[in-house]
Amino acid sequence: EQDNNKANGAEEIQWLVLRQEGDELLLISVLGLDTLPYARGKETSDWEHSAIREWLNTTFYQTAFSAEERAVIVEKTVFQDENEDYPHTRQGNDTLDHVFLLSSREYEEYMKTSNNIAPESCYGTPSRYAVKQGASLYNDLYCWWWLRTSSRSNDIACTVSPYGVFDPNSSSIRSTKVMVRPAMWVKVG
């Protein structure tokens, strides 16, 4: 659901191609699809143990895609890059995922500094559904969105600001106002 009108059914997700490697494409959703906390409860969390990772690879994966679509989504090793701003923060183990969030390094490399990606693609453009779910709007236009990289501690995860600036200090992992822009690799051809 993206237009927040369940009566007209779910809308197809629009995807932005970030990279091609052989017969695989790295995609990210054009819009922020929902707002979810990175983690729940009192414990700290890295990507491996995050509630958002679990949601992306179970609920979202099963409901957003048909069986035919799931057949072309590649299960990939998701590497936990060091946060250059906070190198002592433990990032957790690499994981095997169908759907994930970009890391701060992937964001910088594939989106922010890419000559193939328009700067406004980095903005946090929310779906109407994400706004209804509580996405924190800035200037009534754009929102922050999650990256999988931990920040100065495992209580804080990195985000991208509404206007596409990487924020290494970012948001509490329990925030319910930050959007989710799922990413995945798909096999083509």
Side-chain angles (χ1 to χ4, degrees), residues 22-168:
D23 63 348
E24 295 179 358
L25 300 175
L26 174 59
L27 308 176
I28 188 169
S29 66
V30 171
L31 300 176
L33 302 180
D34 204 342
T35 57
L36 294 168
Y38 191 93
R40 292 183 167 83
K42 296 179 182 176
E43 69 280 350
T44 61
S45 188
D46 53 33
W47 170 250
E48 179 184 13
H49 301 99
S50 68
I52 204 166
R53 174 178 176 249
E54 180 182 341
W55 178 81
L56 284 168
N57 285 281
T58 56
T59 304
F60 178 75
Y61 179 70
Q62 292 296 323
T63 59
F65 306 107
S66 67
E68 293 81 21
E69 291 168 329
R70 288 192 300 272
V72 299
I73 298 173
V74 181
E75 189 174 45
K76 285 284 228 187
T77 299
V78 176
F79 297 101
Q80 302 313 312
D81 306 321
E82 182 179 279
N83 183 334
E84 293 177 8
D85 294 294
Y86 300 102
H88 300 294
T89 302
R90 185 184 181 288
Q91 295 298 321
N93 297 315
D94 296 340
T95 57
L96 196 59
D97 296 317
H98 288 100
V99 188
F100 52 92
L101 301 176
L102 294 181
S103 70
S104 57
R105 184 198 56 78
E106 290 168 335
Y107 172 70
E108 289 292 329
E109 181 178 344
Y110 301 146
M111 291 186 78
K112 190 65 177 173
T113 60
S114 173
N115 293 327
N116 300 323
I117 303 296
E120 56 272 6
S121 295
C122 298
Y123 295 0
T125 306
S127 66
R128 288 187 191 136
Y129 181 78
V131 172
K132 185 68 173 175
Q133 295 304 108
S136 182
L137 284 169
Y138 182 76
N139 286 340
D140 293 326
L141 295 172
Y142 303 110
C143 304
W144 283 262
W145 51 281
W146 291 117
L147 297 173
R148 73 174 180 268
T149 307
S150 293
S151 185
R152 63 182 176 266
S153 74
N154 290 114
D155 284 331
I156 301 169
C158 294
T159 59
V160 176
S161 76
Y163 289 98
V165 177
F166 167 65
D167 185 354

